[in-house]
Each structure stands twice: as C-alpha cells, then as structure tokens.
Amino acid sequence: MSQEVHLQTTPEEIAHSFDEAPPAADISNYAFEDWVTLAIFWVMTGCVFLQFFTRYVLNDSYAWTEEIATNCLIGLVFLGSVMCVRVSRHIQVDVLYHYLPRPAARGMAIFVDLVRIGFFAYACWLMWRYVAIVAHERMVTVDLPRSIVFYSVMAGFVLMLVRSIQVFIANQRRGYSVLEKPEEFQKVEG
C-alpha cells in the first residue's frame, strides 16, 4: 500500500493561487436546447424554493408551485435528454464491441443508430397522437393548458430524433461511434 504525501501549504501560497486568471469559459459546446433546459431548471428551482419558503417559513404554502415544479421537471427530463443524445451520453453497453471483429462491430453500431432513430420517430408519432387526445385538458391549480407540458415532451422527442440523425451522420463520416471507440469521445471532455 502506498503512503500518501501531504505537503504543507502556507496561507500566502493559497492567497496567491487566486491571482492567476481563471481559464476562459468555452460555451461553444452548448446548443439551443441546453439553454432552454437551463432556463426551465431555474424556473423549477425557483418554484421549489418558493414552495419550501411558503410552507416552512410562512406556514401557508402556495399550491401552484408544486404543480409547476413537477411540470418543469417533466420538460427538464425530456429536453435534457436531447443533450445526452447529441453528445452520445445515454447509458450504453460497449463491451461486446471490443471482442467483435471491426466490420461486425461497425455493422452493429450502425444498427443501433438506426434503431435509435426509429425509436425516436415512433415516440414522436405517439406523442403527436397523445397530444391530440388530451389537448384540451387544463392544469389543476393553475388555469393553463396541460398541452404546454405535452408539447414540451413532444419537442424533446422531435429534437432527440433530429440529434440522433445528426449523430448517425457524424458517425458515418467519422467511421466509428462511441460504442466502438469510447476512448475517442473521452478526449473531447477533458
């Protein structure tokens, strides 16, 4: 077992570490849906905080905050999933690809991409039908149409479909996917 070595750091060294300029923030990797998701996240956070404050501090909670926060969470999940599709970060099992010959692994990766595209296309169609059925429902505590939530889910599926097509095209141009060479995608992150 190796022994850890801890060096003493003086307060002056810690203070001077703040003199260095912070690295430049690179926001070029973020897409439109990421910013919309961030905005929905902060609306949800504000509703949850307001619910907590009114319930435990004022002892008179607003009923609408829970419904709005729940609906924001639904939108957050589906729009946040778009980012996972765009950067190929959904849960996946890639161990089989390391043991298959390269042509077979490539064929399986193409098949997975096509199944993903088909799944999102089918989900878009299902959501379109579902929204048509429940389009006139209203929220319980706020007089707003529930279709806002359903349309955000449908928008998430449509964007996931578009992003999965873009990922498929990028994988074809590159000649491999994250399933075949996950180490190549780790380099992008850090």
mmCIF file of all heavy atoms in Angstrom, residues 131-175:
data_model
loop_
_atom_site.group_PDB
_atom_site.id
_atom_site.type_symbol
_atom_site.label_atom_id
_atom_site.label_comp_id
_atom_site.label_asym_id
_atom_site.label_seq_id
_atom_site.Cartn_x
_atom_site.Cartn_y
_atom_site.Cartn_z
ATOM 1 N N VAL A 131 -51.071 14.005 -27.717
ATOM 2 C CA VAL A 131 -51.389 15.425 -27.562
ATOM 3 C C VAL A 131 -52.741 15.748 -28.201
ATOM 4 O O VAL A 131 -53.516 16.542 -27.670
ATOM 5 C CB VAL A 131 -50.263 16.302 -28.146
ATOM 6 C CG1 VAL A 131 -50.686 17.745 -28.256
ATOM 7 C CG2 VAL A 131 -49.017 16.199 -27.287
ATOM 8 N N ALA A 132 -53.051 15.110 -29.323
ATOM 9 C CA ALA A 132 -54.350 15.338 -29.969
ATOM 10 C C ALA A 132 -55.502 14.864 -29.083
ATOM 11 O O ALA A 132 -56.577 15.461 -29.088
ATOM 12 C CB ALA A 132 -54.391 14.622 -31.313
ATOM 13 N N ILE A 133 -55.273 13.819 -28.305
ATOM 14 C CA ILE A 133 -56.330 13.282 -27.446
ATOM 15 C C ILE A 133 -56.558 14.174 -26.223
ATOM 16 O O ILE A 133 -57.688 14.434 -25.837
ATOM 17 C CB ILE A 133 -55.987 11.839 -27.007
ATOM 18 C CG1 ILE A 133 -55.992 10.907 -28.213
ATOM 19 C CG2 ILE A 133 -56.950 11.348 -25.933
ATOM 20 C CD1 ILE A 133 -55.417 9.529 -27.923
ATOM 21 N N VAL A 134 -55.487 14.647 -25.601
ATOM 22 C CA VAL A 134 -55.602 15.378 -24.332
ATOM 23 C C VAL A 134 -55.324 16.875 -24.478
ATOM 24 O O VAL A 134 -54.998 17.543 -23.502
ATOM 25 C CB VAL A 134 -54.666 14.765 -23.270
ATOM 26 C CG1 VAL A 134 -55.080 13.359 -22.934
ATOM 27 C CG2 VAL A 134 -53.220 14.840 -23.708
ATOM 28 N N ALA A 135 -55.475 17.397 -25.656
ATOM 29 C CA ALA A 135 -55.102 18.791 -25.919
ATOM 30 C C ALA A 135 -55.918 19.798 -25.128
ATOM 31 O O ALA A 135 -55.448 20.907 -24.872
ATOM 32 C CB ALA A 135 -55.222 19.078 -27.410
ATOM 33 N N HIS A 136 -57.113 19.458 -24.717
ATOM 34 C CA HIS A 136 -57.977 20.441 -24.073
ATOM 35 C C HIS A 136 -57.998 20.342 -22.548
ATOM 36 O O HIS A 136 -58.771 21.051 -21.906
ATOM 37 C CB HIS A 136 -59.400 20.305 -24.623
ATOM 38 C CG HIS A 136 -59.445 20.490 -26.112
ATOM 39 N ND1 HIS A 136 -59.173 21.691 -26.724
ATOM 40 C CD2 HIS A 136 -59.686 19.614 -27.108
ATOM 41 C CE1 HIS A 136 -59.270 21.551 -28.032
ATOM 42 N NE2 HIS A 136 -59.569 20.291 -28.298
ATOM 43 N N GLU A 137 -57.158 19.498 -21.970
ATOM 44 C CA GLU A 137 -57.101 19.398 -20.512
ATOM 45 C C GLU A 137 -56.452 20.647 -19.929
ATOM 46 O O GLU A 137 -55.612 21.275 -20.555
ATOM 47 C CB GLU A 137 -56.283 18.170 -20.096
ATOM 48 C CG GLU A 137 -56.968 16.864 -20.321
ATOM 49 C CD GLU A 137 -56.168 15.687 -19.779
ATOM 50 O OE1 GLU A 137 -55.192 15.914 -19.037
ATOM 51 O OE2 GLU A 137 -56.521 14.555 -20.107
ATOM 52 N N ARG A 138 -56.826 20.975 -18.703
ATOM 53 C CA ARG A 138 -56.266 22.129 -18.004
ATOM 54 C C ARG A 138 -55.474 21.636 -16.797
ATOM 55 O O ARG A 138 -55.727 20.553 -16.261
ATOM 56 C CB ARG A 138 -57.369 23.076 -17.527
ATOM 57 C CG ARG A 138 -58.349 23.546 -18.581
ATOM 58 C CD ARG A 138 -57.773 24.400 -19.639
ATOM 59 N NE ARG A 138 -57.479 25.746 -19.170
ATOM 60 C CZ ARG A 138 -56.909 26.660 -19.948
ATOM 61 N NH1 ARG A 138 -56.582 26.367 -21.188
ATOM 62 N NH2 ARG A 138 -56.648 27.844 -19.498
ATOM 63 N N MET A 139 -54.531 22.449 -16.346
ATOM 64 C CA MET A 139 -53.806 22.129 -15.121
ATOM 65 C C MET A 139 -54.760 22.266 -13.939
ATOM 66 O O MET A 139 -55.759 22.982 -14.013
ATOM 67 C CB MET A 139 -52.614 23.065 -14.964
ATOM 68 C CG MET A 139 -51.532 22.849 -15.986
ATOM 69 S SD MET A 139 -50.121 23.901 -15.632
ATOM 70 C CE MET A 139 -49.153 23.622 -17.107
ATOM 71 N N VAL A 140 -54.444 21.609 -12.843
ATOM 72 C CA VAL A 140 -55.343 21.561 -11.700
ATOM 73 C C VAL A 140 -55.343 22.877 -10.927
ATOM 74 O O VAL A 140 -56.387 23.449 -10.645
ATOM 75 C CB VAL A 140 -54.965 20.384 -10.759
ATOM 76 C CG1 VAL A 140 -55.824 20.380 -9.518
ATOM 77 C CG2 VAL A 140 -55.065 19.077 -11.502
ATOM 78 N N THR A 141 -54.173 23.383 -10.567
ATOM 79 C CA THR A 141 -54.106 24.565 -9.697
ATOM 80 C C THR A 141 -53.910 25.869 -10.442
ATOM 81 O O THR A 141 -54.145 26.929 -9.891
ATOM 82 C CB THR A 141 -52.975 24.411 -8.665
ATOM 83 O OG1 THR A 141 -51.745 24.220 -9.348
ATOM 84 C CG2 THR A 141 -53.252 23.258 -7.735
ATOM 85 N N VAL A 142 -53.431 25.803 -11.666
ATOM 86 C CA VAL A 142 -53.200 26.997 -12.473
ATOM 87 C C VAL A 142 -54.051 26.850 -13.733
ATOM 88 O O VAL A 142 -54.074 25.778 -14.338
ATOM 89 C CB VAL A 142 -51.704 27.132 -12.849
ATOM 90 C CG1 VAL A 142 -51.454 28.382 -13.657
ATOM 91 C CG2 VAL A 142 -50.839 27.116 -11.609
ATOM 92 N N ASP A 143 -54.695 27.903 -14.121
ATOM 93 C CA ASP A 143 -55.568 27.814 -15.292
ATOM 94 C C ASP A 143 -54.749 27.952 -16.577
ATOM 95 O O ASP A 143 -54.835 28.952 -17.292
ATOM 96 C CB ASP A 143 -56.662 28.879 -15.225
ATOM 97 C CG ASP A 143 -57.745 28.639 -16.264
ATOM 98 O OD1 ASP A 143 -57.928 27.473 -16.654
ATOM 99 O OD2 ASP A 143 -58.388 29.616 -16.692
ATOM 100 N N LEU A 144 -53.947 26.946 -16.835
ATOM 101 C CA LEU A 144 -53.136 26.867 -18.057
ATOM 102 C C LEU A 144 -53.407 25.524 -18.722
ATOM 103 O O LEU A 144 -53.735 24.550 -18.051
ATOM 104 C CB LEU A 144 -51.640 26.978 -17.729
ATOM 105 C CG LEU A 144 -51.125 28.316 -17.238
ATOM 106 C CD1 LEU A 144 -49.681 28.194 -16.792
ATOM 107 C CD2 LEU A 144 -51.261 29.375 -18.315
ATOM 108 N N PRO A 145 -53.247 25.459 -20.032
ATOM 109 C CA PRO A 145 -53.459 24.169 -20.702
ATOM 110 C C PRO A 145 -52.330 23.184 -20.388
ATOM 111 O O PRO A 145 -51.161 23.553 -20.368
ATOM 112 C CB PRO A 145 -53.473 24.533 -22.184
ATOM 113 C CG PRO A 145 -52.788 25.843 -22.273
ATOM 114 C CD PRO A 145 -52.975 26.540 -20.969
ATOM 115 N N ARG A 146 -52.679 21.933 -20.125
ATOM 116 C CA ARG A 146 -51.666 20.884 -19.888
ATOM 117 C C ARG A 146 -50.899 20.575 -21.159
ATOM 118 O O ARG A 146 -49.835 19.970 -21.099
ATOM 119 C CB ARG A 146 -52.332 19.584 -19.398
ATOM 120 C CG ARG A 146 -52.776 19.613 -18.025
ATOM 121 C CD ARG A 146 -52.122 18.844 -16.954
ATOM 122 N NE ARG A 146 -51.460 17.595 -17.107
ATOM 123 C CZ ARG A 146 -50.251 17.399 -16.597
ATOM 124 N NH1 ARG A 146 -49.611 18.359 -16.005
ATOM 125 N NH2 ARG A 146 -49.688 16.232 -16.692
ATOM 126 N N SER A 147 -51.432 20.992 -22.288
ATOM 127 C CA SER A 147 -50.750 20.724 -23.551
ATOM 128 C C SER A 147 -49.368 21.376 -23.596
ATOM 129 O O SER A 147 -48.511 20.930 -24.351
ATOM 130 C CB SER A 147 -51.601 21.183 -24.729
ATOM 131 O OG SER A 147 -51.852 22.569 -24.652
ATOM 132 N N ILE A 148 -49.136 22.401 -22.779
ATOM 133 C CA ILE A 148 -47.794 23.003 -22.698
ATOM 134 C C ILE A 148 -46.782 21.926 -22.314
ATOM 135 O O ILE A 148 -45.711 21.820 -22.906
ATOM 136 C CB ILE A 148 -47.767 24.153 -21.671
ATOM 137 C CG1 ILE A 148 -48.664 25.302 -22.110
ATOM 138 C CG2 ILE A 148 -46.352 24.633 -21.425
ATOM 139 C CD1 ILE A 148 -48.883 26.351 -21.034
ATOM 140 N N VAL A 149 -47.137 21.118 -21.326
ATOM 141 C CA VAL A 149 -46.244 20.053 -20.869
ATOM 142 C C VAL A 149 -46.105 18.984 -21.943
ATOM 143 O O VAL A 149 -44.995 18.536 -22.247
ATOM 144 C CB VAL A 149 -46.772 19.435 -19.556
ATOM 145 C CG1 VAL A 149 -45.868 18.314 -19.081
ATOM 146 C CG2 VAL A 149 -46.917 20.493 -18.496
ATOM 147 N N PHE A 150 -47.229 18.596 -22.541
ATOM 148 C CA PHE A 150 -47.183 17.543 -23.552
ATOM 149 C C PHE A 150 -46.408 17.999 -24.790
ATOM 150 O O PHE A 150 -45.692 17.208 -25.398
ATOM 151 C CB PHE A 150 -48.596 17.103 -23.931
ATOM 152 C CG PHE A 150 -49.396 16.599 -22.762
ATOM 153 C CD1 PHE A 150 -50.698 17.032 -22.565
ATOM 154 C CD2 PHE A 150 -48.859 15.713 -21.853
ATOM 155 C CE1 PHE A 150 -51.445 16.571 -21.482
ATOM 156 C CE2 PHE A 150 -49.590 15.250 -20.771
ATOM 157 C CZ PHE A 150 -50.884 15.681 -20.589
ATOM 158 N N TYR A 151 -46.554 19.258 -25.160
ATOM 159 C CA TYR A 151 -45.799 19.771 -26.301
ATOM 160 C C TYR A 151 -44.308 19.848 -25.990
ATOM 161 O O TYR A 151 -43.481 19.662 -26.885
ATOM 162 C CB TYR A 151 -46.329 21.128 -26.752
ATOM 163 C CG TYR A 151 -47.565 21.043 -27.609
ATOM 164 C CD1 TYR A 151 -48.723 21.715 -27.261
ATOM 165 C CD2 TYR A 151 -47.584 20.268 -28.768
ATOM 166 C CE1 TYR A 151 -49.869 21.625 -28.047
ATOM 167 C CE2 TYR A 151 -48.718 20.167 -29.550
ATOM 168 C CZ TYR A 151 -49.854 20.854 -29.187
ATOM 169 O OH TYR A 151 -50.980 20.760 -29.958
ATOM 170 N N SER A 152 -43.948 20.108 -24.740
ATOM 171 C CA SER A 152 -42.518 20.113 -24.396
ATOM 172 C C SER A 152 -41.937 18.705 -24.497
ATOM 173 O O SER A 152 -40.805 18.518 -24.940
ATOM 174 C CB SER A 152 -42.281 20.708 -23.008
ATOM 175 O OG SER A 152 -42.734 19.849 -21.992
ATOM 176 N N VAL A 153 -42.721 17.693 -24.110
ATOM 177 C CA VAL A 153 -42.271 16.301 -24.255
ATOM 178 C C VAL A 153 -42.141 15.960 -25.731
ATOM 179 O O VAL A 153 -41.146 15.356 -26.158
ATOM 180 C CB VAL A 153 -43.235 15.329 -23.537
ATOM 181 C CG1 VAL A 153 -42.882 13.885 -23.844
ATOM 182 C CG2 VAL A 153 -43.220 15.577 -22.042
ATOM 183 N N MET A 154 -43.135 16.362 -26.519
ATOM 184 C CA MET A 154 -43.060 16.091 -27.958
ATOM 185 C C MET A 154 -41.878 16.822 -28.591
ATOM 186 O O MET A 154 -41.165 16.253 -29.419
ATOM 187 C CB MET A 154 -44.359 16.490 -28.655
ATOM 188 C CG MET A 154 -44.407 15.988 -30.094
ATOM 189 S SD MET A 154 -46.013 16.156 -30.847
ATOM 190 C CE MET A 154 -46.007 17.882 -31.227
ATOM 191 N N ALA A 155 -41.647 18.071 -28.166
ATOM 192 C CA ALA A 155 -40.484 18.808 -28.674
ATOM 193 C C ALA A 155 -39.187 18.094 -28.309
ATOM 194 O O ALA A 155 -38.256 18.022 -29.114
ATOM 195 C CB ALA A 155 -40.479 20.235 -28.123
ATOM 196 N N GLY A 156 -39.140 17.532 -27.099
ATOM 197 C CA GLY A 156 -37.962 16.767 -26.697
ATOM 198 C C GLY A 156 -37.739 15.567 -27.596
ATOM 199 O O GLY A 156 -36.620 15.308 -28.041
ATOM 200 N N PHE A 157 -38.801 14.837 -27.905
ATOM 201 C CA PHE A 157 -38.663 13.672 -28.787
ATOM 202 C C PHE A 157 -38.295 14.091 -30.216
ATOM 203 O O PHE A 157 -37.478 13.433 -30.860
ATOM 204 C CB PHE A 157 -39.933 12.828 -28.794
ATOM 205 C CG PHE A 157 -40.013 11.859 -27.653
ATOM 206 C CD1 PHE A 157 -41.083 11.896 -26.782
ATOM 207 C CD2 PHE A 157 -39.026 10.911 -27.451
ATOM 208 C CE1 PHE A 157 -41.168 11.000 -25.732
ATOM 209 C CE2 PHE A 157 -39.090 10.011 -26.406
ATOM 210 C CZ PHE A 157 -40.168 10.063 -25.537
ATOM 211 N N VAL A 158 -38.879 15.175 -30.702
ATOM 212 C CA VAL A 158 -38.529 15.650 -32.050
ATOM 213 C C VAL A 158 -37.063 16.056 -32.093
ATOM 214 O O VAL A 158 -36.335 15.699 -33.033
ATOM 215 C CB VAL A 158 -39.452 16.813 -32.480
ATOM 216 C CG1 VAL A 158 -38.920 17.500 -33.722
ATOM 217 C CG2 VAL A 158 -40.872 16.308 -32.708
ATOM 218 N N LEU A 159 -36.613 16.795 -31.069
ATOM 219 C CA LEU A 159 -35.201 17.193 -31.041
ATOM 220 C C LEU A 159 -34.275 15.985 -30.874
ATOM 221 O O LEU A 159 -33.189 15.954 -31.452
ATOM 222 C CB LEU A 159 -34.967 18.211 -29.928
ATOM 223 C CG LEU A 159 -35.525 19.599 -30.194
ATOM 224 C CD1 LEU A 159 -35.455 20.462 -28.938
ATOM 225 C CD2 LEU A 159 -34.771 20.266 -31.340
ATOM 226 N N MET A 160 -34.703 14.988 -30.087
ATOM 227 C CA MET A 160 -33.892 13.769 -29.971
ATOM 228 C C MET A 160 -33.811 13.050 -31.308
ATOM 229 O O MET A 160 -32.746 12.518 -31.663
ATOM 230 C CB MET A 160 -34.460 12.838 -28.896
ATOM 231 C CG MET A 160 -34.137 13.266 -27.496
ATOM 232 S SD MET A 160 -34.631 12.056 -26.256
ATOM 233 C CE MET A 160 -36.261 12.659 -25.829
ATOM 234 N N LEU A 161 -34.898 13.053 -32.061
ATOM 235 C CA LEU A 161 -34.882 12.452 -33.399
ATOM 236 C C LEU A 161 -33.898 13.199 -34.300
ATOM 237 O O LEU A 161 -33.054 12.576 -34.961
ATOM 238 C CB LEU A 161 -36.282 12.462 -34.006
ATOM 239 C CG LEU A 161 -36.396 12.014 -35.468
ATOM 240 C CD1 LEU A 161 -35.955 10.560 -35.624
ATOM 241 C CD2 LEU A 161 -37.817 12.212 -35.974
ATOM 242 N N VAL A 162 -33.983 14.519 -34.301
ATOM 243 C CA VAL A 162 -33.079 15.322 -35.138
ATOM 244 C C VAL A 162 -31.634 15.108 -34.712
ATOM 245 O O VAL A 162 -30.751 14.884 -35.555
ATOM 246 C CB VAL A 162 -33.465 16.820 -35.062
ATOM 247 C CG1 VAL A 162 -32.402 17.695 -35.691
ATOM 248 C CG2 VAL A 162 -34.818 17.054 -35.706
ATOM 249 N N ARG A 163 -31.376 15.151 -33.414
ATOM 250 C CA ARG A 163 -30.000 14.962 -32.925
ATOM 251 C C ARG A 163 -29.498 13.541 -33.201
ATOM 252 O O ARG A 163 -28.322 13.346 -33.485
ATOM 253 C CB ARG A 163 -29.914 15.277 -31.437
ATOM 254 C CG ARG A 163 -30.147 16.724 -31.099
ATOM 255 C CD ARG A 163 -29.154 17.628 -31.758
ATOM 256 N NE ARG A 163 -29.308 18.986 -31.261
ATOM 257 C CZ ARG A 163 -28.658 20.009 -31.762
ATOM 258 N NH1 ARG A 163 -27.814 19.843 -32.760
ATOM 259 N NH2 ARG A 163 -28.844 21.213 -31.279
ATOM 260 N N SER A 164 -30.364 12.542 -33.121
ATOM 261 C CA SER A 164 -29.904 11.175 -33.396
ATOM 262 C C SER A 164 -29.563 11.009 -34.875
ATOM 263 O O SER A 164 -28.630 10.268 -35.215
ATOM 264 C CB SER A 164 -30.930 10.144 -32.944
ATOM 265 O OG SER A 164 -32.123 10.245 -33.678
ATOM 266 N N ILE A 165 -30.288 11.691 -35.749
ATOM 267 C CA ILE A 165 -29.937 11.672 -37.179
ATOM 268 C C ILE A 165 -28.593 12.357 -37.379
ATOM 269 O O ILE A 165 -27.733 11.865 -38.128
ATOM 270 C CB ILE A 165 -31.049 12.322 -38.019
ATOM 271 C CG1 ILE A 165 -32.308 11.448 -37.990
ATOM 272 C CG2 ILE A 165 -30.587 12.553 -39.450
ATOM 273 C CD1 ILE A 165 -33.541 12.114 -38.574
ATOM 274 N N GLN A 166 -28.378 13.486 -36.686
ATOM 275 C CA GLN A 166 -27.085 14.180 -36.789
ATOM 276 C C GLN A 166 -25.946 13.308 -36.267
ATOM 277 O O GLN A 166 -24.868 13.264 -36.865
ATOM 278 C CB GLN A 166 -27.127 15.499 -36.021
ATOM 279 C CG GLN A 166 -27.998 16.548 -36.661
ATOM 280 C CD GLN A 166 -28.137 17.793 -35.803
ATOM 281 O OE1 GLN A 166 -27.920 17.765 -34.587
ATOM 282 N NE2 GLN A 166 -28.522 18.884 -36.433
ATOM 283 N N VAL A 167 -26.180 12.607 -35.163
ATOM 284 C CA VAL A 167 -25.155 11.707 -34.608
ATOM 285 C C VAL A 167 -24.875 10.579 -35.585
ATOM 286 O O VAL A 167 -23.713 10.206 -35.804
ATOM 287 C CB VAL A 167 -25.590 11.166 -33.228
ATOM 288 C CG1 VAL A 167 -24.733 9.997 -32.786
ATOM 289 C CG2 VAL A 167 -25.554 12.273 -32.198
ATOM 290 N N PHE A 168 -25.914 10.022 -36.199
ATOM 291 C CA PHE A 168 -25.737 8.952 -37.181
ATOM 292 C C PHE A 168 -24.882 9.427 -38.347
ATOM 293 O O PHE A 168 -23.946 8.740 -38.772
ATOM 294 C CB PHE A 168 -27.105 8.466 -37.675
ATOM 295 C CG PHE A 168 -27.019 7.446 -38.772
ATOM 296 C CD1 PHE A 168 -26.558 6.176 -38.523
ATOM 297 C CD2 PHE A 168 -27.391 7.770 -40.066
ATOM 298 C CE1 PHE A 168 -26.470 5.224 -39.540
ATOM 299 C CE2 PHE A 168 -27.320 6.844 -41.084
ATOM 300 C CZ PHE A 168 -26.853 5.560 -40.820
ATOM 301 N N ILE A 169 -25.177 10.615 -38.869
ATOM 302 C CA ILE A 169 -24.395 11.164 -39.991
ATOM 303 C C ILE A 169 -22.948 11.403 -39.566
ATOM 304 O O ILE A 169 -22.013 11.062 -40.303
ATOM 305 C CB ILE A 169 -25.052 12.452 -40.523
ATOM 306 C CG1 ILE A 169 -26.382 12.102 -41.192
ATOM 307 C CG2 ILE A 169 -24.136 13.181 -41.500
ATOM 308 C CD1 ILE A 169 -27.247 13.315 -41.513
ATOM 309 N N ALA A 170 -22.747 11.955 -38.364
ATOM 310 C CA ALA A 170 -21.383 12.192 -37.873
ATOM 311 C C ALA A 170 -20.633 10.870 -37.700
ATOM 312 O O ALA A 170 -19.447 10.774 -38.035
ATOM 313 C CB ALA A 170 -21.428 12.954 -36.558
ATOM 314 N N ASN A 171 -21.320 9.843 -37.188
ATOM 315 C CA ASN A 171 -20.686 8.534 -37.025
ATOM 316 C C ASN A 171 -20.292 7.947 -38.374
ATOM 317 O O ASN A 171 -19.230 7.317 -38.500
ATOM 318 C CB ASN A 171 -21.616 7.566 -36.292
ATOM 319 C CG ASN A 171 -21.765 7.901 -34.827
ATOM 320 O OD1 ASN A 171 -20.987 8.667 -34.269
ATOM 321 N ND2 ASN A 171 -22.782 7.345 -34.206
ATOM 322 N N GLN A 172 -21.125 8.127 -39.397
ATOM 323 C CA GLN A 172 -20.811 7.613 -40.729
ATOM 324 C C GLN A 172 -19.610 8.337 -41.323
ATOM 325 O O GLN A 172 -18.740 7.718 -41.927
ATOM 326 C CB GLN A 172 -22.026 7.741 -41.653
ATOM 327 C CG GLN A 172 -23.205 6.877 -41.256
ATOM 328 C CD GLN A 172 -22.804 5.431 -41.059
ATOM 329 O OE1 GLN A 172 -22.238 4.803 -41.939
ATOM 330 N NE2 GLN A 172 -23.091 4.893 -39.882
ATOM 331 N N ARG A 173 -19.561 9.641 -41.149
ATOM 332 C CA ARG A 173 -18.419 10.411 -41.674
ATOM 333 C C ARG A 173 -17.132 10.065 -40.957
ATOM 334 O O ARG A 173 -16.071 9.996 -41.563
ATOM 335 C CB ARG A 173 -18.701 11.917 -41.540
ATOM 336 C CG ARG A 173 -19.724 12.417 -42.509
ATOM 337 C CD ARG A 173 -19.926 13.894 -42.368
ATOM 338 N NE ARG A 173 -20.938 14.341 -43.313
ATOM 339 C CZ ARG A 173 -21.630 15.447 -43.198
ATOM 340 N NH1 ARG A 173 -21.423 16.248 -42.170
ATOM 341 N NH2 ARG A 173 -22.524 15.771 -44.100
ATOM 342 N N ARG A 174 -17.225 9.886 -39.634
ATOM 343 C CA ARG A 174 -16.048 9.607 -38.820
ATOM 344 C C ARG A 174 -15.579 8.171 -39.005
ATOM 345 O O ARG A 174 -14.401 7.871 -38.887
ATOM 346 C CB ARG A 174 -16.423 9.887 -37.360
ATOM 347 C CG ARG A 174 -15.300 9.929 -36.406
ATOM 348 C CD ARG A 174 -15.696 10.358 -34.996
ATOM 349 N NE ARG A 174 -17.020 9.970 -34.571
ATOM 350 C CZ ARG A 174 -18.052 10.802 -34.386
ATOM 351 N NH1 ARG A 174 -17.901 12.076 -34.596
ATOM 352 N NH2 ARG A 174 -19.215 10.346 -33.982
ATOM 353 N N GLY A 175 -16.525 7.261 -39.238
ATOM 354 C CA GLY A 175 -16.171 5.859 -39.424
ATOM 355 C C GLY A 175 -16.265 5.030 -38.160
ATOM 356 O O GLY A 175 -15.968 3.839 -38.168
#
